[in-house]
Amino acid sequence: MARVSDVEIDQVPEDVRPIYERYANEYGPFLNQVKVFAHRPVALKHMMGMLLEFYDEALLPKRYLEIALVTVSKINECKYCISHHAPRAIQHGLSEAAVEGILGDSVDGFDELDMLVRDYAVQVTNNFQYIREKMFDELKQHFSDEQIVELTLRIALCGFFNRFNDALQIEIEPGLVSGL
């Protein structure tokens, strides 16, 4: 059980119920997380709503998004996020060995672009103030400015979610493996 009580869907304002339900079921399964976020409907509306809009838009290829999110979650050791994003990463072509060893010097099945995304996620997470221009030059060879902004946003936001989930001890939903 999380360190705060759960808020059920019938306890939130009607205008955020569709976001609550969709985030818990379609984007997730992130039911335990949304039950905690629901204490602040404005956060649920805007943060989860934004993630749902990104999901619908699919501007950033899912493979690269999941590489970034698993990387950040592995760095921060967030079992909740790893348990949710590792299966998605595998669904988008990563091997289980790649997910397990994503922070290694070489990663099973990764090409140069996969490694670039992984390395960028590491830099944004650990050394954001020291990212070299060369990395952006390489990113711009593969991604638009809009995609780079979203990738950076998602990496930074993942770090936020890692801290939020662990600080409040949000439990992993039944049926998910507790991180690879």
Side-chain angles (χ1 to χ4, degrees):
M1 175 138 200
R3 288 181 162 152
V4 297
S5 60
D6 289 343
V7 176
E8 301 298 332
I9 194 166
D10 62 342
Q11 297 173 290
V12 298
E14 285 190 37
D15 67 319
V16 295
R17 287 182 189 172
I19 294 169
Y20 182 117
E21 183 175 15
R22 186 163 175 232
Y23 190 80
N25 297 313
E26 290 178 38
Y27 190 83
F30 288 97
L31 180 60
N32 291 344
Q33 186 182 65
V34 80
K35 284 181 175 183
V36 171
F37 259 87
H39 281 280
R40 296 297 296 141
V42 68
L44 179 105
K45 178 180 181 178
H46 294 288
M47 293 185 78
M48 274 60 178
M50 177 182 65
L51 291 174
L52 288 167
E53 286 186 44
F54 284 155
Y55 182 81
D56 290 342
E57 237 180 31
L59 175 71
L60 194 61
K62 300 287 191 233
R63 176 182 179 89
Y64 304 120
L65 175 62
E66 295 304 333
I67 288 171
L69 300 181
V70 171
T71 298
V72 174
S73 298
K74 286 276 192 169
I75 291 168
N76 293 324
E77 299 179 16
C78 180
K79 288 182 174 58
Y80 185 88
C81 289
I82 295 166
S83 70
H84 287 79
H85 289 285
R88 288 179 175 198
I90 292 167
Q91 179 184 5
H92 293 289
L94 276 67
S95 67
E96 192 170 312
V99 171
E100 287 179 21
I102 203 160
L103 299 178
D105 291 336
S106 65
V107 181
D108 180 60
F110 270 30
D111 62 22
E112 286 183 31
L113 182 53
D114 295 334
M115 290 300 288
L116 176 62
V117 170
R118 190 282 310 259
D119 292 346
Y120 184 61
V122 170
Q123 289 294 309
V124 171
T125 303
N126 289 337
N127 302 302
F128 53 88
Q129 68 275 42
Y130 300 113
I131 300 173
R132 303 270 185 241
E133 201 61 39
K134 181 178 186 270
M135 182 167 274
F136 285 98
D137 291 342
E138 292 174 15
L139 286 167
K140 286 181 179 190
Q141 291 176 21
H142 304 281
F143 300 106
S144 68
D145 287 351
E146 188 177 19
Q147 289 173 313
I148 293 169
V149 167
E150 183 175 335
L151 180 62
T152 307
L153 175 70
R154 298 298 299 273
I155 290 166
L157 195 56
C158 184
F160 160 80
F161 278 110
N162 294 163
R163 288 160 181 80
F164 183 89
N165 296 334
D166 284 352
L168 296 178
Q169 294 184 353
I170 298 175
E171 292 182 4
I172 298 168
E173 289 79 3
L176 292 174
V177 177
S178 178
L180 291 175

